[in-house]
Amino acid sequence: VASSLRKAKDSRLEIVFVLDDGAYAVAAVNAVGRGIPLYNSHQDKSRFDYHVNLRLSQSDVPVERLSSVAANIRQGAMLVDAPSSELNVNEVSQLAEDVAKLYGAGFECVRGEELRDRGYGGIWGVGKGSAQPPALVILTHDPPGAEQTICLVGKGITFDTGGNQIKGDTFMP
């Protein structure tokens, strides 16, 4: 799928799933969502603007939910695939803030020397060598009536010294 996108001039893409068993709908959407990237280093235009419109022959999962799954997989893949020269800490922080606004989540960005001052010495120590100040982004969502607390922790590295000063030559390829 992705190789034919390079040849496409139109930003409209419709994918039709013909499934003999609707139980495979989520797996199919996952695979295609990953195969149609938002980021591609082989294009002059590094981020694809393709809108994926799903049509399913059968599934118990609503198309809107599957479309959301595909969009989120593509967004996550873009965050993984884009190099830090194109997706730096400033852009990642802004994307997180945009997501927070979109979904009504809380957003906090601890940045630069504030990281050191608040006890995040590891992030500060590695990230202070970058051209942009390091950041810790905290998103919170506390819906009314929630009965349990869930914590998801993720790490996005946009700058890393690689630990070169502590690796001996036998461990460096």
Side-chain angles (χ1 to χ4, degrees):
V1 173
S3 62
S4 27
L5 290 178
R6 286 193 277 278
K7 299 172 189 167
K9 295 191 184 340
D10 191 343
S11 65
R12 193 100 179 113
L13 175 66
E14 185 155 346
I15 296 176
V16 178
F17 287 98
V18 180
L19 303 171
D20 57 353
D21 185 344
Y24 298 115
V26 173
V29 166
N30 282 330
V32 173
R34 185 62 179 106
I36 304 171
L38 289 173
Y39 174 82
N40 184 329
S41 63
H42 302 294
Q43 290 281 99
D44 290 336
K45 181 180 177 186
S46 64
R47 288 186 177 87
F48 289 135
D49 290 330
Y50 296 105
H51 170 75
V52 178
N53 188 6
L54 299 174
R55 303 272 186 232
L56 295 166
S57 60
Q58 60 174 309
S59 174
D60 294 335
V61 183
V63 172
E64 296 79 21
R65 180 154 175 101
L66 292 170
S67 292
S68 178
V69 167
N72 285 303
I73 287 170
R74 293 177 75 213
Q75 182 70 27
M78 184 272 296
L79 293 171
V80 170
D81 295 344
S84 58
S85 61
E86 295 182 33
L87 185 66
N88 61 43
V89 69
N90 297 327
E91 291 185 16
V92 171
S93 299
Q94 185 60 56
L95 285 170
E97 186 173 10
D98 294 346
V99 166
K101 287 178 184 174
L102 180 65
Y103 293 103
F107 172 84
E108 179 184 4
C109 185
V110 184
R111 200 87 206 247
E113 292 180 1
E114 185 183 359
L115 287 163
R116 180 196 60 212
D117 299 344
R118 289 180 54 182
Y120 299 108
I123 298 171
W124 166 247
V126 171
K128 70 182 178 180
S130 174
Q132 294 89 23
L136 170 68
V137 173
I138 302 165
L139 301 176
T140 54
H141 180 61
D142 190 12
E147 296 182 7
Q148 73 182 78
T149 299
I150 298 172
C151 177
L152 302 174
V153 178
K155 177 173 78 171
I157 298 176
T158 60
F159 175 82
D160 187 8
T161 61
N164 288 331
Q165 73 281 9
I166 60 172
K167 294 178 184 167
D169 60 356
T170 57
F171 297 105
M172 297 289 287

